[in-house]
Amino acid sequence: MTDFVARLHAIVGDKGLITDDQGKHPFLTDWRENYLGTALAIVRPATTEEVAAVVKLCAAEKVAIVPQGGNTGMSGGGTPHEEGREIVLSLTRMNRILEIDKVGYTMTVEAGVVLKTIQEAAADADRLFPLSLGAEGSCTIGGNLSTNAGGVQVLHYGNARNLVLGLEVVLPDGEIWNGLRALKKDNTGYDLRDLYLGAEGTLGIITKAILKLWPKPKDHATSWSAVPSPQAAVELLSSAYAASEDNVTSCELMGRQGIDLVLQHIAGTSDPLADKHDWYVLMEWSSARPASVGDNAAGLRDKMEAYLGEAMEKGLVLDAVIAQTEAQSKALWALRENHTEASKKEGPSIKHDISVAVSKIPPFVPEGLAAMTKALPGCRPLVFGHVGDGNLHFNCQAPAGWSKPQFMQHGDAISGAIYDLVTAYGGSISAEHGIGRIKVHELEHYRTKIELDVMRSLKRALDPQNLMNPGKVIQIQ
Ligand code: FAD
Ligand code: MLT
Ligand code: ZN
């Protein structure tokens, strides 16, 4: 054991340190298996004070730190580099829910709590924590806040940034900033909290958070509609806001290619409609008002049925089903949530987590599809995502049977074509997955000099030794 590792051990003990190759491996590679790094050790502190002591030691020894939560990130931000002096600092032992304030609608948690655990604790208290995404069974709230995660309910509740009131952060010099304030209003100077949200571990380590809660929905309606085009999807959503009395909580678009992959690779899934169609919309309406109360006796399901009937008459919907039970609703959601898993099982793919204004989705989609297939004839576009936020996963699946190295030779041409188009539409090259390691060069290319200069100034000021997740998000020369 080196002297440095021995000093880490003195802080976190046996339970908090992994140094053998087999034990380290899962922390050194990302979910997509794009990277495989090395680390002096995997350090798993149990308290904020232990995190602070580890960070102080690393600052003194000039060892870089890669914070990690559930390691489900899509951009390689939580994976160490192939060479260099780094530790992975995993927050997963800091997994306690500290307080639920039912009256104030808040929950205080440690950074390593798994998102699903938070959702369940909120539901048990008759409240809702609305962040919801496919990786919710393993991603952590610290990772969610550090990536400013999105997911499937952003159009109603906002992304992770909108779901938090206060933070506790260990700064790059090991000092602890206690910003755990449950305040809805606080205009006392620059907003430090917002700096750390979406910073992907490059400015400090989030150790605790005060989250916002909402009333638990008591009435739900889930529909699966075949639509003729993305244009129809956007129009369907546009009029659903009023028809649902502002209760649209999810609106997801999927192309047929993705459904075919899910049906092929994910056991227990089935096509809800008799015929195949090019595009589908999964819509969820939910409300805290129970269906049986007063003049609301009809409930959201009846309202949705009437609404979809009218949409069919207008030609916006070709065929549709509405879930009659929770199990049916879950089965529809499984078709959507398993896209990422099914794509991984199918083989290599390139992800483009893009956003444009919702009203620009209809022209963007056919232009984007044409650009992708021009860049690599024979590639398989896999388009799905959060159309209600203007955020599509405009992904590209390799031609059947291609190896990853063979496919990746075309990566720059494919991604360049999509990102140039997104930029021409005034959109974003990273809507919800962050920059991490995978888009560092794209950020340099697509953001203006002034934006990059401000980002670099912030990074240099807050992390002068460049030890906090270096090489991620923004390069410091
Ligand atoms: P990690 O992967 O461990 O880390 C992500 C980044 O945050 C890294 O840069 C890391 O250094 C940093 N970090 C982690 N914890 C901390 C901390 N406590 N303090 C400071 N920095 C920290 N994302 C979406 O936005 N929307 C989706 O719909 C979505 N769907 C997904 C579906 C699947 C099947 C999968 C596998 C992933 C999906 N993701 C989605 C991506 C991923 O789940 C999110 O980015 C999630 O927020 C990452 O959380 P994590 O705990 O796994 O973070
Ligand atoms: C999702 O929404 O399922 C993920 O963010 C998408 C992806 O894997 O590209
Ligand atoms: Zn997504």
Side-chain angles (χ1 to χ4, degrees), residues 97 99-101 105-109 118 121-122 209-211 213:
I97 292 178
E99 190 192 358
I100 297 180
D101 176 353
Y105 281 75
T106 63
M107 186 189 297
T108 307
V109 295
I118 293 175
I210 301 185
L211 307 172
L213 302 177

Side-chain angles (χ1 to χ4, degrees), residues 52 55-56 169-177:
V55 174
K56 274 193 179 141
V169 179
V170 173
L171 307 180
D173 60 2
E175 291 297 312
I176 301 169
W177 171 56

Side-chain angles (χ1 to χ4, degrees), residues 232-309:
V234 167
E235 286 179 31
L236 190 67
L237 171 63
S238 178
S239 48
Y241 288 121
S244 68
E245 297 170 4
D246 204 14
N247 286 311
V248 181
T249 42
S250 296
C251 182
E252 299 286 310
L253 177 72
M254 287 148 284
R256 181 69 209 182
Q257 301 88 339
I259 305 304
D260 283 336
L261 287 189
V262 172
L263 296 176
Q264 184 186 337
H265 291 292
I266 308 295
T269 53
S270 61
D271 195 335
L273 301 177
D275 297 321
K276 287 188 176 190
H277 300 271
D278 289 343
W279 295 101
Y280 300 89
V281 169
L282 176 59
M283 214 187 273
E284 177 97 10
W285 296 0
S286 55
S287 163
R289 194 173 179 214
S292 54
V293 171
D295 61 359
N296 197 40
L300 289 176
R301 215 187 305 153
D302 289 2
K303 286 196 184 99
M304 187 181 258
E305 201 170 327
Y307 171 69
L308 288 178

Side-chain angles (χ1 to χ4, degrees), residues 360-371:
K360 301 280 186 210
I361 291 275
F364 176 82
V365 171
E367 271 192 70
L369 290 174

Side-chain angles (χ1 to χ4, degrees), residues 385-456:
H386 322 290
V387 68
D389 313 325
N391 171 200
L392 291 181
H393 300 301
F394 217 86
N395 299 348
C396 181
Q397 198 78 32
W402 277 36
S403 70
K404 195 164 178 173
Q406 185 184 10
F407 182 48
M408 290 318 290
Q409 285 174 17
H410 303 269
D412 287 346
I414 297 169
S415 298
I418 298 303
Y419 294 148
D420 286 352
L421 186 67
V422 165
T423 305
Y425 270 86
S428 169
I429 62 156
S430 181
E432 60 171 9
H433 293 165
I435 298 298
R437 186 167 167 190
I438 204 161
K439 288 185 187 166
V440 168
H441 298 297
E442 277 85 356
L443 186 84
E444 296 255 350
H445 184 73
Y446 291 102
R447 281 294 180 219
T448 61
K449 180 174 179 316
I450 192 163
E451 287 167 319
L452 295 168
D453 285 349
V454 174
M455 288 190 214
R456 279 203 185 92

